[in-house]
Amino acid sequence: MKSHTQVVVIGGGVVGASVLYHLTKGGWKDVMLIERAELTSGSTWHAAGGMHTLNGDPNVAKLQQYTINLYKEIEAISGVSCGMHVTGGLNLAGTKERLDWLKMAKARGRYLGMNLEIISVDEAAKMYPFIEKKHFVGAMFDPVEGHLDPWGVTQAYAKCATMAGAEINRFTRVVDLKARPDGSWDVITDKGNVVAEHVVNCGGLWAREVGRMVGLELPVLAMEHHYLITEDIPAVIDPKVDKFHVIDFEGEIYMRQEGGGMLIGTYEQACQPWSERETPWDFGQNLLPNDLDRIAPSLETAFEHFPKLGEVGIRKVVNGPFTFAPDGNPLVGPVKGLKNFWVACGVMAGFSQGGGVGLALANWMIDGDPGHDIWGMDVARFGDWATLPYTNAKVRENYSRRFRIRFPNEELPAARPLRTTPIYDRLVAENAVFGEYCSLENPLWFAPKGMAPIEDVTFRRSNAHEPIGVECRAVRAGVGMTEIANYGKIEVEGPRAAEFLSHVMANKLPAVGRLSLTPMLNEHGKLIGDFTIGRYMQDKFLLVCSYAAEGYYIRWFERHMPPDGVTIRAASMDYPGLSIAGPKSRDLLQKLTHDDVSNEKFPFLSFRRMNIGMIPALVGRVSFTGDLGYEIWVRPEYQRALYDLLLKEGAAFGLTQFGMRALLCMRLEKSFGTWFREYRPIYGPYEAGLGRFVDLKKNDFIGREAAVREKESGGKLRLQGFVVDALDADAIGDEPIWHDGKVVGWVTSGGYGHTVGKSLALGYIAKEAAVANEGFEIEIIGERRPATRLDAPIFDPQGLRMRG
């Protein structure tokens, strides 16, 4: 084992081997993998080896497509067979709602190039004759599903990497990691030490233990997972023709052919975590004791839905652990606060996602950017609230719901309530229906008196539709109040704060007492942030942003901040704000403060300290409703007093409380985009309609050259608003946008505009289609609905209300 290397990858499962291969493919040859036992000794060796391209996040689905297409490449380079069996797969729907979900999945697949097909139960039974048709209402066929050999795939990755110069050290355990002053690492093993410029934690079952070596508690948990293999089913299955690959969502089972029998796996309700606090280092290629009683309900359903399975015996039972993050997606990327320390773990679908994870992480390490939109996998999406007990609760919930529908308006109950604001009890008393965002409870809407604060879960308009409409109309007609604690806040201050912010932000900074709206770009000129910056002193700034991306932003700031003169602090929970909006909001605010808040003295985008009653606050004249409005930021100890004061004095103006759902409806009426939906690292600022917030005349900010090129070329896409001729269901995001019979784009956000009485959508289309006025359709639950492109926001298109 050599003593110095550019990268040490810790862990020799399929993910570690993929990362190693992609680093060499990207040109980094001086790389090393260290594995405590033999390759594939963790979760990889006992995996069922299934692969599929279907994923709820289209950006993850693209990487899954890449992964599956990669196998032929690594087979050809290495000469090692991956044992590929591309059989195609049948996804069975047992309910109308599941069939709707499959129709939506097929629609997403249209703009990903996936050839998915909705078929009838009769067609499904012809393809897979052991189906008991009475339990199903339809199905979707995916031609790119199948299974492979986990050992062969891992060995193929590893051989490709070693052929390119990588070193692999088996039966070598990393026992500690020590940061060096220059940012490199001492990798201490039981067979000697290595100095590495970068360390990648691909520890799998041991990812927590590797993380703890550097003071990091990763939110991952291993779950016991059963699958079994039946004896041959000669009347149905020909062992020479491998063609059966099935997911039965209602039965919560997956199946594939194994010789002349079937492999059956389940995500059972009575799920069982394994090694909840610490993974033993001596756990090797071991299996866990079988517990067929625990999975018996799932097996009974399988035998009912596929009777032939119950007529044969069981040849083999496998029960092995594999890891989940709280939301079921991988943890990938650099770790905030740790230089040159990377993670790629929690990849439970390693043979669908491992190649894409390896590609994105290698790109990130080599080029400074993953080259793909992997926000759904980014380790930065979890904050310090993702403790071990929180992770345990959410992983159990996620595992047991693996094949269940997550409706777009569905809020899951595990680990709740965990974090609440000072006015939480007040909001409960007001019949608020709560959602959870970054473990923080926030009011979604308010149920009227006499109505239970429970929302029906559905793909269509729910029982919340009318109450949300009441909230929206009340704001537009008078004044409304909503809690905005779930906005992200970051404090930046110091003598070089302005210099630093000017370098990382695309727009010019505000003067003291003002706000500015600005995108943040990466080196490729793509959107990695959207900020409101308030400057209340010469060297003190409050950045308001997406709370979910707070860690993501601070990690970026750490990478680019000067060595001194700037202090950056996450402050989201230090300012649990309230917002008032509507044409009477100025009158209400003026009643509560001695400051002059007239349009002349406190115009649009003003920001200053002022007292609201007795309460010290930071007040900005801005509102995501797109109406006249104000954001009022106070310390936690003042929020209850502010809430009570606004309610008391607002009564004279007819003040109505509104929730996040109404806020999002009103922002659609203004065609306002938001992070993760309209603003993501796959879009440029001019494509996103943010060009007016990019100041190309100021200093050489990050991404400036690329932004200049995009402005000159016009980019490839255009963010457009649409009015949709919807029925009882609105667009929610990721639906195809059609023009003259061709898919030309996709929806990023959708909903109902209650104050304009229209179903609305925002989405990206090819810029060539953006000049057309007719011929658009948006596909909602499998039905193409006529849509009209908007040239301007449908509400207050000139912005007179918010500026007046």
Side-chain angles (χ1 to χ4, degrees):
M1 183 168 66
K2 57 189 175 185
S3 60
H4 289 74
T5 188
Q6 190 172 9
V7 182
V8 163
V9 176
I10 302 173
V14 65
V15 175
S18 172
V19 170
L20 191 74
Y21 164 65
H22 283 93
L23 286 170
T24 62
K25 186 177 181 182
W28 283 15
K29 310 296 186 181
D30 180 19
V31 293
M32 176 190 297
L33 184 146
I34 300 177
E35 162 57 42
R36 48 174 279 285
E38 182 55 88
L39 298 183
T40 76
S41 290
S43 298
T44 299
W45 79 273
H46 61 73
M51 59 181 185
H52 55 88
T53 57
L54 197 62
N55 191 284
D57 184 336
N59 296 286
V60 176
K62 290 178 184 177
L63 290 175
Q64 292 184 186
Q65 287 178 303
Y66 167 81
T67 299
I68 292 172
N69 292 331
L70 180 65
Y71 291 134
K72 291 182 180 179
E73 175 183 313
I74 61 173
E75 276 187 334
I77 296 171
S78 67
V80 177
S81 172
C82 293
M84 286 272 288
H85 298 266
V86 183
T87 61
L90 197 65
N91 298 272
L92 291 164
T95 64
K96 180 180 181 297
E97 289 76 17
R98 175 60 67 180
L99 190 58
D100 284 346
W101 185 86
L102 290 174
K103 290 176 181 177
M104 295 163 74
K106 178 188 176 182
R108 284 195 303 272
R110 291 190 195 279
Y111 60 82
L112 295 174
M114 299 169 68
N115 187 26
L116 307 174
E117 183 182 2
I118 300 293
I119 61 176
S120 69
V121 175
D122 290 337
E123 291 173 302
K126 288 179 182 178
M127 298 170 69
Y128 291 17
F130 53 83
I131 294 172
E132 181 60 65
K133 293 192 296 184
K134 68 180 182 181
H135 297 293
F136 304 103
V137 298
M140 182 177 73
F141 182 74
D142 180 357
V144 188
E145 287 190 16
H147 59 97
L148 40 70
D149 172 18
W151 185 92
V153 168
T154 308
Q155 296 295 333
Y157 277 133
K159 187 172 180 182
C160 287
T162 56
M163 290 171 65
E167 177 181 314
I168 295 178
N169 293 284
R170 297 172 173 85
F171 302 102
T172 304
R173 181 184 151 197
V174 174
V175 297
D176 205 358
L177 296 166
K178 300 291 186 183
R180 295 165 66 91
D182 64 355
S184 62
W185 293 87
D186 283 322
V187 182
I188 302 168
T189 82
D190 57 1
K191 293 184 179 178
N193 300 342
V194 183
V195 176
E197 183 180 338
H198 298 265
V199 170
V200 185
N201 178 1
C202 298
L205 292 174
W206 295 268
R208 289 178 305 184
E209 283 64 39
V210 175
R212 288 166 184 163
M213 294 176 187
V214 298
L216 178 66
E217 191 66 51
L218 286 167
V220 291
L221 177 70
M223 300 294 292
E224 294 190 17
H225 182 69
H226 279 87
Y227 65 81
L228 56 87
I229 299 172
T230 72
E231 294 179 342
D232 289 355
I233 311 175
V236 177
I237 297 177
D238 181 353
K240 298 178 182 178
V241 182
D242 189 358
K243 68 176 185 177
F244 295 117
H245 195 282
V246 182
I247 294 178
D248 174 5
F249 289 101
E250 273 56 57
E252 297 181 326
I253 54 178
Y254 63 89
M255 300 187 297
R256 68 165 175 83
Q257 186 173 337
E258 180 71 15
M262 291 295 287
L263 181 152
I264 308 171
T266 180
Y267 292 86
E268 71 278 9
Q269 297 302 297
C271 55
Q272 180 61 47
W274 176 77
S275 191
E276 295 176 71
R277 299 193 63 82
E278 188 172 358
T279 304
W281 286 104
D282 60 356
F283 185 81
Q285 289 188 325
N286 308 100
L287 293 175
L288 306 176
N290 299 331
D291 189 356
L292 292 180
D293 289 341
R294 196 172 80 237
I295 66 170
S298 297
L299 294 179
E300 290 171 3
T301 301
F303 298 154
E304 182 181 352
H305 289 189
F306 311 95
K308 290 294 183 181
L309 299 178
E311 296 176 5
V312 298
I314 297 173
R315 179 181 299 156
K316 182 180 180 180
V317 178
V318 173
N319 181 22
F322 68 120
T323 57
F324 278 82
D327 58 4
N329 284 336
L331 303 175
V332 181
V335 175
K336 175 172 63 74
L338 296 174
K339 187 174 182 180
N340 293 344
F341 187 86
W342 309 75
V343 297
C345 55
V347 189
M348 56 78 54
F351 296 98
S352 296
Q353 298 175 345
V357 166
L359 172 69
L361 190 66
N363 287 344
W364 214 335
M365 296 175 71
I366 296 168
D367 300 326
D369 184 88
H372 297 266
D373 184 353
I374 66 161
W375 168 248
M377 297 182 178
D378 197 319
V379 65
R381 71 189 186 275
F382 291 109
D384 58 7
W385 41 267
T387 61
L388 211 58
Y390 170 90
T391 298
N392 193 307
K394 295 303 289 185
V395 167
R396 287 172 183 248
E397 179 181 66
N398 183 280
Y399 183 97
S400 65
R401 293 179 54 91
R402 178 69 178 163
F403 286 146
R404 293 194 177 185
I405 296 172
R406 175 72 185 270
F407 289 96
N409 66 331
E410 185 175 12
E411 296 291 329
L412 302 182
R416 294 180 61 192
L418 177 59
R419 295 197 298 157
T420 59
T421 63
I423 62 169
Y424 174 71
D425 59 336
R426 301 280 210 274
L427 298 173
V428 170
E430 292 290 333
N431 228 19
V433 178
F434 287 92
E436 174 268 330
Y437 181 65
C438 301
S439 82
L440 178 68
E441 298 293 318
N442 60 97
L444 298 177
W445 57 282
F446 291 84
K449 289 182 179 180
M451 178 180 180
I454 300 171
E455 184 170 1
D456 302 332
V457 293
T458 176
F459 290 123
R460 291 169 166 78
R461 294 171 189 157
S462 74
N463 60 324
H465 185 74
E466 285 305 320
I468 292 170
V470 170
E471 294 173 18
C472 292
R473 290 186 288 271
V475 173
R476 297 296 194 213
V479 59
M481 176 180 70
T482 190
E483 185 179 43
I484 50 174
N486 61 351
Y487 289 14
K489 280 82 67 179
I490 299 172
E491 287 186 327
V492 181
E493 57 184 61
R496 300 183 65 186
E499 173 191 341
F500 162 70
L501 286 173
S502 186
H503 178 58
V504 297
M505 299 297 177
N507 202 359
K508 58 179 174 291
L509 297 182
V512 174
R514 298 289 292 168
L515 296 165
S516 69
L517 310 177
T518 178
M520 185 165 71
L521 310 179
N522 62 18
E523 290 91 339
H524 304 289
K526 299 300 184 182
L527 292 167
I528 59 170
D530 172 45
F531 293 83
T532 301
I533 299 179
R535 189 175 195 174
Y536 57 98
M537 293 179 66
Q538 186 64 30
D539 58 356
K540 292 182 182 292
F541 299 84
L542 182 67
L543 279 56
V544 181
C545 55
S546 170
Y547 188 17
E550 179 187 77
Y552 175 92
Y553 296 143
I554 290 179
R555 183 181 64 193
W556 180 261
F557 293 160
E558 287 177 346
R559 177 177 162 190
H560 294 284
M561 67 188 294
D564 54 37
V566 181
T567 301
I568 296 173
R569 190 177 70 85
S572 294
M573 298 313 297
D574 293 336
Y575 294 98
L578 291 166
S579 176
I580 55 173
K584 297 181 182 179
S585 59
R586 178 187 288 121
D587 297 335
L588 173 57
L589 182 63
Q590 188 63 79
K591 187 176 181 181
L592 302 177
T593 183
H594 293 297
D595 287 52
D596 186 345
V597 295
S598 65
N599 197 41
E600 292 74 22
K601 298 295 185 179
F602 200 63
F604 182 57
L605 296 182
S606 292
F607 184 67
R608 75 169 72 137
R609 289 177 170 177
M610 64 176 70
N611 294 330
I612 309 298
M614 296 183 292
I615 303 161
L618 286 168
V619 180
R621 188 178 155 188
V622 67
S623 172
F624 203 37
T625 64
D627 215 313
L628 172 66
Y630 305 86
E631 292 176 354
I632 307 171
W633 305 108
V634 296
R635 295 289 184 179
E637 61 267 29
Y638 296 112
Q639 195 197 21
R640 289 170 70 95
L642 177 65
Y643 176 81
D644 291 342
L645 180 64
L646 288 170
L647 273 186
K648 178 183 176 182
E649 300 299 335
F653 301 95
L655 182 138
T656 298
Q657 295 190 70
F658 66 101
M660 197 54 56
R661 294 275 180 79
L663 182 64
L664 294 177
C665 289
M666 288 185 278
R667 70 101 176 173
L668 278 177
E669 294 176 338
K670 285 294 294 180
S671 296
F672 285 167
T674 187
W675 170 252
F676 185 64
R677 299 308 311 179
E678 287 71 41
Y679 308 146
R680 297 185 70 148
I682 51 177
Y683 308 124
Y686 295 95
E687 292 178 325
L690 297 178
R692 66 191 184 279
F693 302 119
V694 176
D695 184 4
L696 296 175
K697 297 178 182 179
K698 77 183 186 83
N699 68 323
D700 190 20
F701 59 88
I702 297 172
R704 182 185 179 281
E705 291 185 6
V708 169
R709 291 193 296 270
E710 186 198 341
K711 183 179 181 181
E712 291 172 348
S713 70
K716 297 179 180 180
L717 304 171
R718 289 290 181 272
L719 180 62
Q720 292 286 338
F722 292 89
V723 172
V724 188
D725 184 14
L727 296 175
D728 63 341
D730 303 297
I732 57 174
D734 299 327
E735 293 89 351
I737 300 173
W738 295 74
H739 182 254
D740 289 346
K742 295 180 180 180
V743 174
V744 295
W746 54 89
V747 172
T748 51
S749 298
Y752 193 78
H754 289 274
T755 56
V756 297
K758 305 284 186 182
S759 183
L760 304 172
L762 281 174
Y764 282 91
I765 59 175
K767 69 177 180 182
E768 293 79 10
V771 297
N773 293 316
E774 298 179 346
F776 289 100
E777 297 171 302
I778 291 178
E779 186 172 350
I780 300 177
I781 314 181
E783 184 177 356
R784 287 156 58 176
R785 303 298 305 169
T788 302
R789 188 181 64 81
L790 295 170
D791 288 319
I794 195 169
F795 175 81
D796 189 25
Q798 296 178 320
L800 300 179
R801 288 177 61 136
M802 65 182 181
R803 292 182 173 87

